[in-house]
Amino acid sequence: MSTLVIVGTQWGDEGKGKITDFYAKKADAVVRFQGGNNAGHTVIVGENTYKFHMIPSGVICATPSYIANGMVIDPTALIAEIDAMKKGGLHTEYLYISNRAHIITPYHKLMDELNEVRLGKNKIGTTKKGIGPAYADKTNRNGIRVCDLYEPALLKEKVESNVSYINLLLTKIYDRPAIDAETIYQQLLADAKILRPYVCDVSLALDNLLKAGKNIVFEGAQGAMLDIDFGTYPYVTSSHPISGGATMGAGVSPKAIDYILGITKAYTTRVGEGPFPTELTDETGEFLRQQGHEFGTTTGRARRCGWFDAAVVRYAARLNGLTHIALTKLDTLTGLRTIQVCTHYELEGDVIDYFPASLTQLAQCKAIYETLEGWEEDITQVKTFEELPVNAQNYVKKLEALIDVPISIVSVGPERDSTIILDPIL
Ligand code: GDP
Ligand code: IMO
Ligand code: MG
């Protein structure tokens, strides 16, 4: 039995979907443990491109796939995603949804949008999928859970109570029309009926798999820098994308985790607002965006691009306890004459070995760069590390030394087989 947690080590979109798909064929279960349809995981297999938001990327390999308690679920969006899976010829009979996961309702999406408008120039740049408001209700203890969908009287009471509060906000503060609780209740009942066959106690199911010695892959969404506690708060998401989130978010013991694989892009991107010390707003940033197709899977927004930031990834390595790294999108850097790497931050004249909590301090940090030689050769068909141009090898070795975690995979293209395996882990 082995378990592998896959996490993003930057600001998301590192290529977690592609690497999860790679491990899904060796796994008996793939589990998403946090986030919701703010995530967008693209997996390309041959002619087919799959885009997952809530459904684990394991479904392409027909590996049993679990939506665990730590996630927030938009039922209508999930049904649409299941329908898209069926149309794409994927099997849905091995999909499971935790009865403890929380529900995103239309009023969560509405509040997400209105919050962003209210914040104006200080907006977070959320995906407007209702993620923050749904997690806020969870911690405020008025959230609606999947199991509540099957107790109509309780569900009605909860929806009415929540909507009466939302309507106060809408009419008294936002000068908006009130919304109708009955419409939301009826939609939830209808969606609940469709989702019924998938609902189970995921934590218990995973415990049974662990006892039977099965391999489990946990697929993170977002990345360490979007973690609600350790990211660039408040420009973060509302869950724990770091490895600790996997045990709470799936209901398994920390003792059950064997390996933790950090997915790391060979440069850095970020969607939405917030600090980004190595951001490039010049033509090199545009080069990375075009060459790497850096446009969001969920919102279509152009991703901000910048140089690799070792201070960020070292921080992520520590928070996650990374045992391995998969370095992705190395091919995007092809054609750059020189490549810069941020090795450390300097704050008030000192090189620092911590990641500042204060955004004021972070803004004062100066990125210290080292310049490496680039390469011109197309590397997308390369199958072994030794076949890579020497400068590309040196780049990978430099990052490995800076992060101090072994790089076990180098990804050189979006397709399944554009993957150099140095250590298969499982
Ligand atoms: P995720 O959210 O971490 O799963 O990442 P996304 O799917 O949002 O973004 C990564 C994008 O890069 C997707 O479009 C992938 O198909 C693509 N991708 C993944 N690995 C590679 C790679 O090594 N090279 C290139 N060129 N594209 C990649
Ligand atoms: P994957 O799993 C990149 C960002 C949003 C915004 C912030 C908060 O594809 O890597 P939210 O809607 O979560 O309240 O938005 O987090 N964000 C992501 N950025 N990849 C993601 O997921 C993201 N999910 C949320 O852009 O800045
Ligand atoms: Mg993504």
Side-chain angles (χ1 to χ4, degrees):
M1 181 274 286
S2 289
T3 55
L4 173 71
V5 179
I6 292 177
V7 285
T9 61
Q10 292 148 317
W11 277 280
D13 302 325
E14 298 92 348
K16 298 175 292 293
K18 173 186 160 161
I19 304 298
T20 301
D21 167 67
F22 174 80
Y23 280 105
K25 61 178 181 293
K26 302 181 178 191
D28 300 293
V30 177
V31 187
R32 270 278 310 268
F33 54 89
Q34 46 72 232
N37 56 337
N38 48 351
H41 297 181
T42 304
V43 184
I44 299 177
V45 184
E47 300 290 289
N48 299 318
T49 298
Y50 303 95
K51 291 178 190 294
F52 299 111
H53 300 287
M54 283 168 280
I55 294 178
S57 304
V59 290
I60 303 175
C61 294
T63 305
S65 294
Y66 294 79
I67 291 176
N69 58 284
M71 286 189 69
V72 283
I73 300 169
D74 179 332
T76 310
L78 180 56
I79 290 166
E81 208 176 326
I82 292 172
D83 286 345
M85 261 178 78
K86 286 181 184 159
K87 280 202 191 83
L90 299 179
H91 292 275
T92 57
E93 60 268 34
Y94 303 120
L95 181 67
Y96 302 93
I97 303 169
S98 168
N99 51 8
R100 287 185 169 83
H102 278 250
I103 293 294
I104 301 174
T105 70
Y107 56 80
H108 292 119
K109 282 194 283 189
L110 183 58
M111 292 318 291
D112 197 354
E113 266 194 69
L114 292 175
N115 275 335
E116 287 285 271
V117 173
R118 184 178 56 81
L119 287 169
K121 67 173 178 40
N122 295 324
K123 71 175 198 281
I124 309 293
T126 73
T127 58
K128 299 187 183 159
K129 300 289 182 190
I131 306 295
Y135 276 117
D137 277 3
K138 171 177 172 170
T139 46
N140 206 26
R141 290 154 297 181
N142 61 306
I144 294 173
R145 297 189 296 163
V146 168
C147 58
D148 300 335
L149 298 177
Y150 304 100
E151 293 186 39
L154 174 72
L155 178 65
K156 196 172 170 58
E157 194 185 310
K158 284 193 157 196
V159 172
E160 282 174 354
S161 163
N162 287 345
V163 168
S164 71
Y165 173 66
I166 295 290
N167 278 340
L168 281 178
L169 293 177
L170 287 175
T171 54
K172 305 255 187 266
I173 293 175
Y174 288 102
D175 199 19
R176 286 286 201 114
I179 53 170
D180 179 35
E182 183 63 19
T183 311
I184 294 172
Y185 169 66
Q186 290 299 338
Q187 185 64 53
L188 286 174
L189 278 185
D191 289 345
K193 209 168 156 193
I194 298 170
L195 294 177
R196 185 76 192 98
Y198 304 105
V199 176
C200 69
D201 185 329
V202 167
S203 164
L204 188 59
L206 297 179
D207 191 49
N208 287 332
L209 290 174
L210 289 169
K211 283 182 179 142
K214 304 290 187 188
N215 288 340
I216 303 181
V217 168
F218 298 86
E219 178 184 16
Q222 291 84 47
M225 300 311 293
L226 290 170
D227 185 275
I228 184 80
D229 278 336
F230 295 103
T232 46
Y233 190 90
Y235 301 98
V236 292
T237 192
S238 301
S239 65
H240 289 294
I242 59 174
S243 59
T247 66
M248 279 186 292
V252 300
S253 161
K255 289 191 290 187
I257 306 302
D258 296 312
Y259 304 106
I260 303 165
L261 175 65
I263 313 302
T264 302
K265 210 178 268 192
Y267 49 100
T268 314
T269 62
R270 161 160 219 174
V271 201
E273 311 303 316
F276 183 172
T278 62
E279 182 167 14
L280 291 163
T281 51
D282 58 4
E283 67 276 11
T284 310
E286 192 53 34
F287 171 90
L288 293 173
R289 183 152 40 247
Q290 295 306 329
Q291 186 109 329
H293 306 289
E294 295 295 356
F295 298 89
T297 310
T298 300
T299 58
R301 288 178 291 176
R303 295 174 182 153
R304 298 156 66 191
C305 297
W307 296 124
F308 182 82
D309 187 337
V312 159
V313 181
R314 264 198 307 271
Y315 179 50
R318 173 171 73 76
L319 292 169
N320 283 293
L322 297 183
T323 59
H324 301 81
I325 279 186
L327 188 70
T328 61
K329 305 194 87 160
L330 186 66
D331 54 303
T332 300
L333 299 174
T334 300
L336 290 171
R337 206 172 48 78
T338 56
I339 307 170
Q340 308 246 77
V341 171
C342 165
T343 59
H344 295 87
Y345 295 160
E346 192 183 292
L347 180 62
E348 292 170 347
D350 293 324
V351 171
I352 57 169
D353 62 358
Y354 59 92
F355 200 91
S358 146
L359 293 196
T360 316
Q361 272 193 4
L362 185 59
Q364 288 162 356
C365 282
K366 195 170 149 284
I368 304 171
Y369 289 103
E370 215 172 296
T371 304
L372 282 84
E373 294 296 314
W375 59 91
E376 289 288 338
E377 299 89 331
D378 176 9
I379 60 170
T380 53
Q381 303 308 315
V382 168
K383 297 284 176 263
T384 64
F385 188 74
E386 293 68 32
E387 282 174 76
L388 284 171
V390 169
N391 287 348
Q393 291 187 23
N394 289 340
Y395 186 76
V396 175
K397 283 185 201 153
K398 181 74 198 178
L399 300 197
E400 188 171 54
L402 284 169
I403 309 163
D404 199 22
V405 174
I407 291 177
S408 57
I409 290 179
V410 180
S411 175
V412 290
E415 289 82 18
R416 247 188 202 164
D417 57 359
S418 299
T419 313
I420 301 170
I421 309 297
L422 301 164
D423 173 357
I425 310 178
L426 292 186

